[in-house]
mmCIF file of all heavy atoms in Angstrom:
data_model
loop_
_atom_site.group_PDB
_atom_site.id
_atom_site.type_symbol
_atom_site.label_atom_id
_atom_site.label_comp_id
_atom_site.label_asym_id
_atom_site.label_seq_id
_atom_site.Cartn_x
_atom_site.Cartn_y
_atom_site.Cartn_z
ATOM 1 N N PRO A 246 -99.021 13.663 -6.092
ATOM 2 C CA PRO A 246 -98.502 12.372 -6.576
ATOM 3 C C PRO A 246 -99.607 11.572 -7.260
ATOM 4 O O PRO A 246 -100.711 11.441 -6.730
ATOM 5 C CB PRO A 246 -98.023 11.687 -5.296
ATOM 6 C CG PRO A 246 -97.704 12.817 -4.368
ATOM 7 C CD PRO A 246 -98.711 13.882 -4.659
ATOM 8 N N ALA A 247 -99.295 11.053 -8.430
ATOM 9 C CA ALA A 247 -100.302 10.338 -9.213
ATOM 10 C C ALA A 247 -100.628 8.987 -8.584
ATOM 11 O O ALA A 247 -99.736 8.272 -8.131
ATOM 12 C CB ALA A 247 -99.816 10.149 -10.638
ATOM 13 N N ARG A 248 -101.916 8.651 -8.577
ATOM 14 C CA ARG A 248 -102.327 7.320 -8.134
ATOM 15 C C ARG A 248 -102.465 6.367 -9.313
ATOM 16 O O ARG A 248 -102.464 5.148 -9.154
ATOM 17 C CB ARG A 248 -103.637 7.376 -7.356
ATOM 18 C CG ARG A 248 -104.816 7.934 -8.121
ATOM 19 C CD ARG A 248 -106.097 7.973 -7.314
ATOM 20 N NE ARG A 248 -107.133 8.690 -8.019
ATOM 21 C CZ ARG A 248 -107.932 8.148 -8.949
ATOM 22 N NH1 ARG A 248 -107.792 6.867 -9.247
ATOM 23 N NH2 ARG A 248 -108.850 8.870 -9.557
ATOM 24 N N LYS A 249 -102.625 6.936 -10.541
ATOM 25 C CA LYS A 249 -102.675 6.101 -11.735
ATOM 26 C C LYS A 249 -102.234 6.920 -12.945
ATOM 27 O O LYS A 249 -102.192 8.160 -12.904
ATOM 28 C CB LYS A 249 -104.070 5.528 -11.961
ATOM 29 C CG LYS A 249 -105.146 6.533 -12.346
ATOM 30 C CD LYS A 249 -106.455 5.794 -12.635
ATOM 31 C CE LYS A 249 -107.581 6.751 -13.021
ATOM 32 N NZ LYS A 249 -108.845 6.016 -13.299
ATOM 33 N N THR A 250 -101.914 6.206 -14.013
ATOM 34 C CA THR A 250 -101.436 6.838 -15.239
ATOM 35 C C THR A 250 -102.237 6.313 -16.422
ATOM 36 O O THR A 250 -102.338 5.099 -16.609
ATOM 37 C CB THR A 250 -99.943 6.535 -15.475
ATOM 38 O OG1 THR A 250 -99.206 6.852 -14.290
ATOM 39 C CG2 THR A 250 -99.408 7.344 -16.634
ATOM 40 N N LEU A 251 -102.793 7.217 -17.197
ATOM 41 C CA LEU A 251 -103.496 6.858 -18.417
ATOM 42 C C LEU A 251 -102.613 7.205 -19.601
ATOM 43 O O LEU A 251 -102.089 8.317 -19.686
ATOM 44 C CB LEU A 251 -104.820 7.616 -18.518
ATOM 45 C CG LEU A 251 -105.794 7.451 -17.353
ATOM 46 C CD1 LEU A 251 -107.010 8.360 -17.538
ATOM 47 C CD2 LEU A 251 -106.230 5.995 -17.207
ATOM 48 N N MET A 252 -102.457 6.261 -20.531
ATOM 49 C CA MET A 252 -101.572 6.455 -21.677
ATOM 50 C C MET A 252 -102.342 6.075 -22.940
ATOM 51 O O MET A 252 -102.607 4.900 -23.196
ATOM 52 C CB MET A 252 -100.305 5.616 -21.514
ATOM 53 C CG MET A 252 -99.662 5.772 -20.139
ATOM 54 S SD MET A 252 -98.100 4.899 -19.930
ATOM 55 C CE MET A 252 -96.960 6.080 -20.650
ATOM 56 N N LEU A 253 -102.729 7.090 -23.716
ATOM 57 C CA LEU A 253 -103.640 6.880 -24.835
ATOM 58 C C LEU A 253 -102.961 7.142 -26.172
ATOM 59 O O LEU A 253 -102.314 8.175 -26.356
ATOM 60 C CB LEU A 253 -104.856 7.795 -24.710
ATOM 61 C CG LEU A 253 -105.687 7.687 -23.427
ATOM 62 C CD1 LEU A 253 -105.240 8.741 -22.404
ATOM 63 C CD2 LEU A 253 -107.162 7.862 -23.722
ATOM 64 N N VAL A 254 -103.132 6.204 -27.089
ATOM 65 C CA VAL A 254 -102.599 6.335 -28.439
ATOM 66 C C VAL A 254 -103.780 6.351 -29.403
ATOM 67 O O VAL A 254 -104.627 5.454 -29.379
ATOM 68 C CB VAL A 254 -101.656 5.166 -28.789
ATOM 69 C CG1 VAL A 254 -101.160 5.293 -30.228
ATOM 70 C CG2 VAL A 254 -100.492 5.119 -27.814
ATOM 71 N N GLY A 255 -103.861 7.383 -30.257
ATOM 72 C CA GLY A 255 -104.976 7.519 -31.180
ATOM 73 C C GLY A 255 -104.552 7.418 -32.629
ATOM 74 O O GLY A 255 -103.553 8.020 -33.039
ATOM 75 N N LYS A 256 -105.303 6.646 -33.397
ATOM 76 C CA LYS A 256 -105.058 6.548 -34.838
ATOM 77 C C LYS A 256 -105.534 7.825 -35.509
ATOM 78 O O LYS A 256 -106.715 8.172 -35.434
ATOM 79 C CB LYS A 256 -105.799 5.345 -35.416
ATOM 80 C CG LYS A 256 -105.720 5.226 -36.938
ATOM 81 C CD LYS A 256 -106.608 4.104 -37.452
ATOM 82 C CE LYS A 256 -106.647 4.063 -38.983
ATOM 83 N NZ LYS A 256 -107.567 3.023 -39.485
ATOM 84 N N GLY A 257 -104.618 8.513 -36.184
ATOM 85 C CA GLY A 257 -104.949 9.772 -36.836
ATOM 86 C C GLY A 257 -104.643 9.750 -38.320
ATOM 87 O O GLY A 257 -103.882 10.590 -38.810
ATOM 88 N N VAL A 258 -105.223 8.807 -39.041
ATOM 89 C CA VAL A 258 -104.995 8.723 -40.484
ATOM 90 C C VAL A 258 -105.883 9.765 -41.155
ATOM 91 O O VAL A 258 -107.103 9.603 -41.239
ATOM 92 C CB VAL A 258 -105.281 7.308 -41.017
ATOM 93 C CG1 VAL A 258 -105.143 7.270 -42.550
ATOM 94 C CG2 VAL A 258 -104.323 6.302 -40.383
#
Side-chain angles (χ1 to χ4, degrees):
R248 60 180 172 84
K249 68 176 180 180
T250 309
L251 304 175
M252 311 184 83
L253 303 95
V254 178
K256 174 187 174 183
V258 176

